[in-house]
Amino acid sequence: MSFCSFVGGEVFKDHFQPGIYVCARCGHELFSSRAKYEHSSPWPAFTETLRGDSVAKREERPGALKVTCGKCGNGLGHEFLNDGPKRGQSRF
């Protein structure tokens, strides 16, 4: 499942079939469907990345990190700290 490049709407927001979400640009594995959950944002929401090198992060503002593909640098959105479904979890 190709993830990101949000042009024309996000088709995977309500998609909950088992699988791996990959970068739309290079195919690098980013998130597992096991980490996906329903959220009110217009994009899919995940609690964690598939691996430690799945994404790169840099602080954009307090509580929000800019997230890019760990392989090609494609923009993926943000990690919102302490905004996941459980206390202390992040939301990607």
Side-chain angles (χ1 to χ4, degrees), residues 16-79:
F16 286 93
Q17 294 179 8
I20 302 295
Y21 291 81
V22 301
C23 176
R25 184 183 290 164
C26 73
H28 187 62
E29 294 182 340
L30 303 170
F31 303 99
S32 167
S33 59
R34 290 186 297 261
K36 191 170 187 297
Y37 68 99
E38 289 189 55
H39 189 269
S40 61
S41 75
W43 301 282
F46 303 88
T47 56
E48 62 187 3
T49 60
L50 189 63
R51 294 187 305 269
D53 69 348
S54 292
V55 302
K57 308 173 194 179
R58 68 173 171 76
E59 186 173 25
E60 186 169 77
R61 62 182 188 269
L65 306 175
K66 184 73 176 166
V67 178
T68 58
C69 173
K71 184 174 180 183
C72 75
N74 186 30
L76 302 174
H78 294 86
E79 176 182 2

